Structures are given as structure tokens and as C-alpha cells.
Amino acid sequence: LRNAWFAYFCGENSWKRNRVTGGWIPCKPQSSPWDPEETKIMGLLLKSNAKFKKSWRGILQYAFPNRTESATSMKWYQLNKSNYFMIEHIGKGMANEARIRLAKRLAKKRM
């Protein structure tokens, strides 16, 4: 039990306060924050007018093995709407095919 607890404690997990006992109890693991490289790959695909499902099947599921499809989809549509400023200048001056090739190259580098 000690080894299992130590492995859990060393991982990227969160803790919450137990209000009854006043102690700390482990929670569900937290997902890691989005890396700028991940944002760049998705930004290139968004700027090339690619659809999410096709991008997920072809590139994103291999580039982001630790992300679920639903989490990636949520980030995709956030970047497309409210956080567009994060990808505003990515791939500027490039053709759509060049953006897709660059996204594939970056995704391959992450694998």
C-alpha cells in the first residue's frame, strides 16, 4: 500500500480537503495544461479550414496520445471561437496545403 500511495503522490494528481475530518484526500487525476506546440498544430489545421473529425482521425489522435477526443474537440472549438487570438498569426502567408503539411510534420515530431 505504501508503494501505491507513493506512486500516486508523485504523479500529477490533485488533492481536496475533507471537511468532516479536516484531512486531505486524493481526487481524480488532473489533465496536463495545453502545450504551445499542441496549440500550434491545432491552429494550423484550423487556419487551413480543416474539419475536426477528419483532423482527429488523420493527425490529432497520433499527435496527442494523452488527450481524449472530447477534450481535444473542446479545445478545438475554444480556439475557433473565444481564444482565436492564440492562433491568429500561426501559418500566416501560407497556403492551406502548406499549413497541413507543416501540421503533419510537427505532429510526427511529437510522436
Side-chain angles (χ1 to χ4, degrees), residues 2-103:
R2 180 182 291 169
N3 291 336
W5 187 258
F6 185 71
Y8 181 85
F9 185 72
C10 289
E12 290 186 17
N13 302 307
S14 64
W15 298 81
K16 71 178 180 179
R17 188 88 167 160
N18 186 348
R19 294 181 186 200
V20 176
T21 63
W24 294 92
I25 56 174
C27 295
K28 294 179 181 177
Q30 297 284 328
S31 62
S32 57
W34 286 89
D35 187 21
E37 277 293 314
E38 294 172 329
T39 306
K40 185 173 184 177
I41 292 170
M42 289 201 316
L44 286 166
L45 292 169
L46 276 167
K47 295 286 234 158
S48 65
N49 297 324
K51 301 295 182 195
F52 173 75
K53 196 64 173 179
K54 187 174 181 182
S55 299
W56 174 256
R57 286 189 189 135
I59 299 171
L60 296 177
Q61 70 178 340
Y62 305 110
F64 312 147
N66 60 341
R67 306 274 184 201
T68 61
E69 183 178 359
S70 60
T72 309
S73 171
M74 188 172 79
K75 184 66 174 178
W76 176 278
Y77 291 110
Q78 278 180 351
L79 285 175
N80 202 10
K81 298 285 182 194
S82 59
N83 293 340
Y84 188 75
F85 68 92
M86 295 176 77
I87 61 167
E88 193 171 8
H89 300 291
I90 294 175
K92 195 170 188 173
M94 297 172 73
N96 287 345
E97 295 81 20
R99 287 185 189 124
I100 292 173
R101 281 195 304 267
L102 181 58

